[in-house]
Amino acid sequence: VHEYKFVYVCVRKAASSAIHTILDEVFGVDVYAGSSCPNNTSREHLIYRCTTLALTEEVLRDYFFFTYVRDPLARFYSGVVQLAENQDAGFVLDRVNGPEQLAALLYDMQRLSFIPNDHLETQAFVLSSPVLVAGRVEMVDFDWIEWSERLGQSFPRLLDRIEAHAGKHIPAALRARSEALAAEFKNVQAASRYSEMVKSWRTDWLDQLVRETYKQDFACFALERPT
């Protein structure tokens, strides 16, 4: 959002739909428009992989970067439900051997032999986008990383930080609308015929396999479920 000099880096399955709604309805930014990403004109390319390499050096130097992350356990199971709903990569849940199917999927992900879509990528990978500054490859220095479970609580503070960084106040009406949309957000899977099925398959051993698969996320963000 150029007017207030901030950049949202999308982590899917971590309040991304809510934040996209705020950007669209409040700040007038169509995140699905190819023109939003300077070096990409393809809608599909923008959606799935528009990295910080597409940003200008001015943006990388002067803008406020923020994102939200999510408990990897909740994020994985939510991602599986969405994967089944969309049947991405031909994925169909095995109603008889579901836990074994999810374990096989996690083992494949650990070997990097099969990651069905970007909703199941590790958050550490998503946020490791390189930038090229003055001939040097560096990593994005995030100004704000917060739990998506706290979106409603933390969004007013995030807006304060954005205003301070930009040296410009966001109009009260826009702030109020942003905060209202954030407050409405809940990190839950939309009603799905698969939600209860996947929930019933959770066991300690499967949760541990998820932790092993997403160990980067726990290491990078010191993730513990917020209280």
Side-chain angles (χ1 to χ4, degrees):
V1 177
H2 295 295
E3 184 175 1
Y4 299 101
K5 293 191 173 183
F6 71 83
V7 175
Y8 165 59
V9 180
C10 176
V11 174
R12 303 183 195 284
K13 307 305 297 179
S16 60
S17 294
I19 297 173
H20 288 167
T21 298
I22 292 171
L23 292 176
D24 183 12
E25 292 190 13
V26 177
F27 295 97
V29 175
D30 181 1
V31 297
Y32 299 109
S35 59
S36 300
C37 198
N39 297 334
N40 294 322
T41 56
S42 164
R43 172 187 169 99
E44 181 177 356
H45 187 73
L46 169 66
I47 294 296
Y48 287 100
R49 192 65 71 225
C50 180
T51 74
T52 48
L53 290 173
L55 300 177
T56 66
E57 187 167 341
E58 176 188 2
V59 169
L60 294 168
R61 182 185 65 240
D62 297 338
Y63 282 44
F64 182 95
F65 280 74
F66 79 92
T67 194
Y68 279 81
V69 294
R70 184 179 182 183
D71 169 29
L73 284 167
R75 182 172 176 266
F76 170 75
Y77 291 112
S78 177
V80 166
V81 170
Q82 183 166 340
L83 184 65
E85 282 284 357
N86 298 339
Q87 294 191 356
D88 291 333
F91 185 85
V92 179
L93 281 180
D94 185 334
R95 295 173 180 271
V96 178
N97 301 300
E100 291 77 12
Q101 181 189 28
L102 296 189
L105 171 62
L106 288 162
Y107 285 128
D108 284 343
M109 290 170 61
Q110 289 182 13
R111 293 191 294 267
L112 300 180
S113 60
F114 177 63
I115 300 177
N117 67 19
D118 49 357
H119 291 85
L120 294 181
E121 291 173 338
T122 69
Q123 296 168 97
F125 173 78
V126 173
L127 298 180
S128 64
S129 178
V131 298
L132 188 65
V133 180
R136 304 185 310 276
V137 176
E138 300 178 350
M139 306 308 294
V140 173
D141 184 13
F142 281 85
D143 302 285
W144 176 283
I145 297 179
E146 176 63 277
W147 273 85
S148 59
E149 282 85 346
R150 295 194 179 110
L151 181 65
Q153 302 169 23
S154 69
F155 214 76
R157 292 186 287 109
L158 171 62
L159 294 177
D160 289 342
R161 291 279 302 276
I162 288 173
E163 286 182 335
H165 186 91
K168 181 176 183 178
H169 286 294
I170 299 171
L174 297 186
R175 278 202 61 136
R177 180 59 177 154
S178 296
E179 293 172 13
L181 288 169
E184 292 172 2
F185 168 75
K186 292 183 179 179
N187 231 340
V188 296
Q189 178 66 44
S192 164
R193 53 186 166 158
Y194 299 110
S195 296
E196 290 302 316
M197 185 191 310
V198 171
K199 182 179 179 180
S200 71
W201 292 342
R202 287 191 63 169
T203 60
D204 290 343
W205 71 266
L206 193 56
D207 280 0
Q208 183 55 37
L209 189 55
V210 175
R211 291 188 183 94
E212 292 171 4
T213 305
Y214 290 92
K215 59 186 177 183
Q216 285 183 322
D217 289 349
F218 287 97
C220 289
F221 308 118
L223 288 171
E224 295 180 1
R225 179 176 290 280
T227 57

